[in-house]
């Protein structure tokens, strides 16, 4: 009887282990490896002291502002081109857990409530694993110290090593790089300065919302006023606008996001100021003065001439840094000389139909500016253009690559039919709220037009009647497929021609929780 009971117990334990065992995720061995590269502020950063103790300093909620000021504030060293933390006992590093994916997945893994606000590549990683991608085999991440220049030699060397690691781990397969925002500038610098390595390891490059010609509206207002990722009382739980201001003033990467001075803008981004001036007779007059990107430098210099921070009891001058500007201008020269290797496919994906800051205005006719040093305390008013909310279409669309492709696919390369003979392909998107309350029901409609341009090139246009929190972006192929996506009680139905990453059908979207925080995801075909 005892033996029988033992057998029963063992059987029950085995059964419990079986039902508790999680099913193994599907793995597709034929997929090419993918490397995800985030944009500015899109990597977890850790401070490591002299004894090897680590603490996450970006992103965090508790003591976020204090850690930013004590660990991330830095000063630029023109002799090396690097910005160096003010804390001499700390070194900033990026965690390499999960083959680099940990640093770019959820930026604050400890956050429980409202966790989706710190998602970065999380949605994309989850979906790609469902498709058969495997961490460490076909899916990798590259986080980096986003304070540094996009041509920082140390960062580029780490990226080269990561590419070699991906190539080796996947059995010698060339990789697809997916970049978001400023990550596109980083990869473009790498492609120019290490073209042999790029050509050796890279098969395709997909750039999402890359500010190839800058993000003038947000950069201008940030130089003057700072940047806040959250508004209202929530600022008390994150890094303050002022602290971010001081951090970014010494970040070469941020200066490299300024409006490209050599680009022929359709509408030049301006800094405008309502100023009150007095003539020699003491009569005052009020004028709206406009400054081009080059002319704005003198305004930044004057407005921030007395800016200081106190660190460890010492007042440190922190004006607009002309040395960093020189460095950033050299980076622009590197970016403008980049050439895409002929065998590398390039996909440029960008958003449209959102009001995007382009020019910035301070003061008003009724309340003019009398002293430029007042500007940091004034509120910016924006003149907007078409874009994704942060990057103007004009900036993201023009890559300045020697071989410029907006949307391409292998199936178009061998088509003999001329572009003039091919009609535009039209599809549609509808977005509706599926909440129970009638007051919560909303709907947005959009039309997608794919214009064949010849030589394998296509231009994709999105016209939306209502802009929703979800921005949908895609890459086309010949076939139409239907999709249904559910996220945050929003049902998205898509009928689009799509072919990306070798999947039968897939869609790329940006879920915007804040103008400066964007979550990236891919949607697979519903079967």
């Amino acid at each position: 009887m005892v033996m029988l009971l033992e057998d029963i117990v063992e059987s029950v334990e085995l059964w419990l282990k079986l039902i508790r065992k999680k099913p193994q995720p599907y793995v597709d061995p034929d997929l090419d490896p993918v490397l995800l590269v985030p944009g500015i502020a899109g990597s977890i950063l850790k401070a490591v002291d002299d004894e090897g103790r680590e603490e996450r300093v970006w992103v965090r909620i508790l003591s976020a502002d204090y850690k930013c000021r004590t660990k991330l504030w830095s000063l630029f060293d023109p002799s090396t081109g690097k910005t160096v933390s003010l804390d001499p006992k700390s070194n900033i590093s990026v965690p390499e857990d999960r083959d680099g994916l940990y640093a770019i997945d959820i930026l604050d893994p400890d956050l429980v409530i409202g966790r989706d606000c710190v998602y970065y590549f999380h949605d994309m990683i989850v979906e790609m694993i469902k498709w058969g991608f495997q961490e460490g085999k076909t899916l990798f991440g590259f986080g980096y110290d986003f304070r540094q220049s996009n041509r920082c030699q140390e960062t580029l060397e780490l990226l080269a090593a990561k590419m070699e690691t991906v190539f080796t781990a996947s059995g010698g397969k060339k990789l697809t790089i997916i970049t978001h925002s400023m990550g596109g500038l980083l990869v473009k610098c790498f492609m120019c300065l290490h073209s042999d390595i790029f050509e050796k390891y890279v098969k395709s490059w997909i750039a999402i919302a890359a500010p190839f010609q800058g993000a003038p509206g947000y950069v201008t207002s940030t130089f003057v006023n700072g940047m806040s990722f959250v508004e209202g009382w929530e600022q008390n739980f994150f890094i303050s606008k002022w602290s971010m201001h001081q951090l970014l003033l010494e970040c070469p990467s941020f200066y490299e996001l300024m409006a490209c001075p050599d680009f022929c803008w359709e509408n030049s981004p301006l800094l405008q100021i309502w100023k009150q001036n007095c003539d020699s007779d003491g009569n005052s007059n009020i004028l709206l003065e406009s400054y081009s990107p080059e002319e704005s430098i003198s305004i930044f210099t004057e407005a921030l001439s007395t800016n200081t921070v106190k660190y460890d009891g010492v007042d440190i001058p922190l004006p607009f840094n002309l040395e960093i500007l020189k460095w950033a201008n050299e980076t622009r020269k590197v970016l403008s000389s980049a050439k895409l290797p002929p065998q590398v496919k390039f996909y440029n994906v960008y958003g449209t139909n959102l009001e995007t800051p382009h020019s910035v205005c301070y003061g008003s006719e009724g309340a003019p500016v009398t002293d430029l040093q007042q500007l940091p305390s004034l509120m910016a008013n924006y003149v907007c253009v078409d874009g994704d909310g942060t990057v103007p279409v004009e900036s993201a669309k023009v890559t300045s690559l020697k071989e410029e492709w907006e949307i391409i696919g292998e199936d178009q390369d061998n088509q003999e039919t001329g572009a003039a003979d091919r009609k535009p392909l039209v599809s549609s998107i509808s977005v509706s709220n599926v909440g129970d309350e009638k007051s919560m029901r909303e709907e947005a409609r959009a039309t997608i037009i794919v214009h064949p341009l010849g030589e394998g090139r296509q231009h994709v246009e999105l016209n939306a009647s209502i802009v929703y929190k979800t921005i949908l972006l895609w890459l086309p192929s010949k076939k139409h497929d239907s999709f249904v996506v559910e996220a945050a009680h929003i049902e998205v139905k898509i009928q689009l021609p799509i072919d990306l990453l070798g999947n039968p059908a897939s869609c790329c979207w940006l879920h915007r929780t804040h103008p400066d925080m964007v979550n990236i995801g891919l949607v697979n075909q519903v079967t």
Side-chain angles (χ1 to χ4, degrees):
M1 179 64 72
V2 174
M3 293 295 295
L4 182 59
L5 288 174
E6 288 180 354
D7 290 340
I8 293 174
V9 170
E10 289 179 1
S11 298
V12 171
E13 288 177 345
L14 179 60
W15 176 73
L16 289 173
K17 289 180 180 179
L18 289 174
I19 64 173
R20 289 175 181 172
K21 187 177 180 181
K22 294 182 179 179
Q24 292 296 318
Y26 164 69
V27 175
D28 187 343
D30 297 326
L31 291 173
D32 291 331
V34 171
L35 178 63
L36 306 178
V37 181
I40 192 168
S43 303
I44 290 177
L45 299 181
K46 289 186 175 182
V48 184
D49 65 17
D50 295 337
E51 298 181 3
R53 290 189 295 261
E54 297 181 348
E55 62 175 334
R56 179 165 26 89
V57 293
W58 182 275
V59 170
R60 59 184 294 153
I61 300 301
L62 297 177
S63 304
D65 193 71
Y66 173 74
K67 293 299 180 181
C68 174
R69 289 184 280 111
T70 56
K71 302 297 182 181
L72 289 178
W73 274 2
S74 55
L75 287 176
F76 179 72
D77 182 355
S79 66
T80 63
K82 292 187 63 177
T83 189
V84 183
S85 296
L86 291 176
D87 182 3
K89 298 180 180 180
S90 293
N91 179 49
I92 299 300
S93 67
V94 180
E96 275 295 318
D97 310 59
R98 293 173 49 205
D99 297 283
L101 293 170
Y102 173 81
I104 63 174
D105 186 346
I106 302 173
L107 299 185
D108 185 355
D110 296 335
L111 190 63
V112 178
I113 300 175
R115 200 180 196 196
D116 58 345
C117 72
V118 289
Y119 282 179
Y120 200 90
F121 275 113
H122 178 72
D123 291 334
M124 177 180 282
I125 292 170
V126 169
E127 291 298 328
M128 292 180 73
I129 289 175
K130 291 179 182 178
W131 300 344
F133 285 90
Q134 184 179 11
E135 293 187 9
K137 293 291 185 181
T138 52
L139 187 57
F140 302 80
F142 180 73
Y144 56 97
D145 185 352
F146 51 80
R147 302 175 305 165
Q148 306 297 343
S149 167
N150 287 295
R151 61 183 175 98
C152 173
Q153 187 59 33
E154 181 179 328
T155 304
L156 298 184
E157 289 175 357
L158 291 172
L159 181 54
K162 174 65 73 171
M163 288 184 182
E164 183 179 5
T165 298
V166 174
F167 183 80
T168 303
S170 62
K173 291 183 178 180
K174 286 192 173 185
L175 59 139
T176 293
I177 299 179
I178 301 179
T179 63
H180 172 243
S181 190
M182 193 184 76
L185 302 188
L186 173 65
V187 168
K188 194 175 179 183
C189 280
F190 183 91
M191 184 174 65
C192 180
L193 298 175
H194 299 278
S195 58
D196 55 335
I197 301 176
F198 188 87
E199 189 170 2
K200 178 180 179 181
Y201 293 128
V202 178
K203 178 181 180 180
S204 303
W205 172 23
I206 302 169
I208 302 174
F212 288 117
Q213 305 302 327
Y218 273 115
V219 170
T220 296
S221 63
T222 298
F223 273 133
V224 176
N225 304 111
M227 175 190 292
S228 177
F229 290 98
V230 292
E231 301 295 337
W233 62 270
E234 293 173 325
Q235 291 187 36
N236 298 322
F237 298 94
F238 198 55
I239 299 172
S240 70
K241 192 173 184 177
W242 180 80
S243 294
M244 280 299 298
H245 191 194
Q246 313 314 314
L247 171 65
L248 295 174
L249 281 174
E250 290 293 310
C251 289
S253 61
F254 196 73
Y255 285 70
E256 291 165 358
L257 294 176
M258 296 174 69
C260 183
D262 301 324
F263 180 60
C264 295
W265 297 89
E266 183 178 344
N267 297 297
S268 180
L270 300 173
L271 170 58
Q272 297 181 313
I273 304 174
W274 284 97
K275 292 183 67 175
Q276 182 175 4
N277 301 310
C278 293
D279 58 24
S280 57
D281 297 328
N283 299 317
S284 64
N285 57 80
I286 299 172
L287 296 173
L288 178 61
E289 299 183 354
S290 298
Y291 304 88
S292 67
E294 296 93 331
E295 295 167 338
S296 299
I297 303 303
S298 62
I299 304 300
F300 297 149
T301 303
E302 175 62 24
L304 300 171
S305 59
T306 60
N307 185 54
T308 61
V309 297
K310 185 179 289 292
Y311 188 87
D312 201 20
V314 178
D315 289 327
I316 301 175
L318 220 61
F320 181 80
N321 197 316
L322 296 176
E323 290 293 337
I324 299 182
L325 181 63
K326 291 179 183 178
W327 180 274
N329 288 337
E330 290 300 315
T331 301
R332 280 290 173 194
K333 293 179 182 179
V334 171
L335 290 168
S336 64
S337 64
K339 183 177 181 180
L340 186 71
Q343 74 276 18
V344 176
K345 296 294 184 181
F346 174 54
Y347 302 79
N348 188 22
V349 185
Y350 53 89
T352 67
N353 278 53
L354 277 180
E355 289 192 347
T356 302
H358 192 60
S359 294
V360 184
C361 182
Y362 289 95
S364 65
E365 190 172 8
V369 176
T370 57
D371 185 349
L372 290 179
Q373 293 184 11
Q374 295 176 332
L375 293 182
S377 62
L378 299 180
M379 181 175 293
N381 295 302
Y382 296 111
V383 177
C384 295
V385 295
D386 188 22
D388 66 3
T390 302
V391 181
V393 166
E394 198 174 1
S395 173
K397 184 177 177 180
V398 181
T399 68
S400 74
L401 290 174
K402 299 304 180 183
E403 294 187 20
E404 186 175 318
W405 300 79
E406 289 176 5
I407 305 291
I408 61 175
E410 292 183 2
D411 54 347
Q412 287 119 21
D413 291 344
N414 298 321
Q415 291 182 1
E416 297 179 358
T417 307
D421 299 328
R422 297 198 299 272
K423 296 181 179 180
L425 180 63
V426 180
S427 297
S428 62
I429 292 177
S430 65
V431 181
S432 60
N433 191 313
V434 296
D436 295 331
E437 299 180 21
K438 292 184 178 180
S439 61
M440 294 292 291
R441 298 188 65 84
E442 298 180 68
E443 186 173 353
R445 298 181 181 275
T447 302
I448 305 94
I449 305 174
V450 181
H451 301 276
L453 300 180
E455 298 181 356
R457 299 178 59 184
Q458 297 185 34
H459 175 73
V460 178
E461 178 183 351
L462 169 63
N463 296 315
S465 57
I466 299 176
V467 176
Y468 214 78
K469 285 188 177 180
T470 301
I471 306 169
L472 296 163
L473 305 171
W474 57 91
L475 297 172
S477 71
K478 290 181 178 179
K479 299 180 180 179
H480 286 73
D481 296 285
S482 297
F483 306 82
V484 176
V485 185
E486 291 188 4
H489 305 293
I490 303 298
E491 182 180 8
V492 183
K493 295 182 179 179
I494 311 164
Q495 189 172 10
L496 287 174
I498 295 167
D499 184 14
L500 178 62
L501 300 178
N503 288 281
S506 55
C507 174
C508 173
W509 86 90
L510 305 182
H511 178 67
R512 183 174 297 279
T513 55
H514 183 273
D516 302 308
M517 295 290 284
V518 178
N519 302 328
I520 304 176
L522 290 173
V523 184
N524 196 21
Q525 181 179 7
V526 176
T527 57

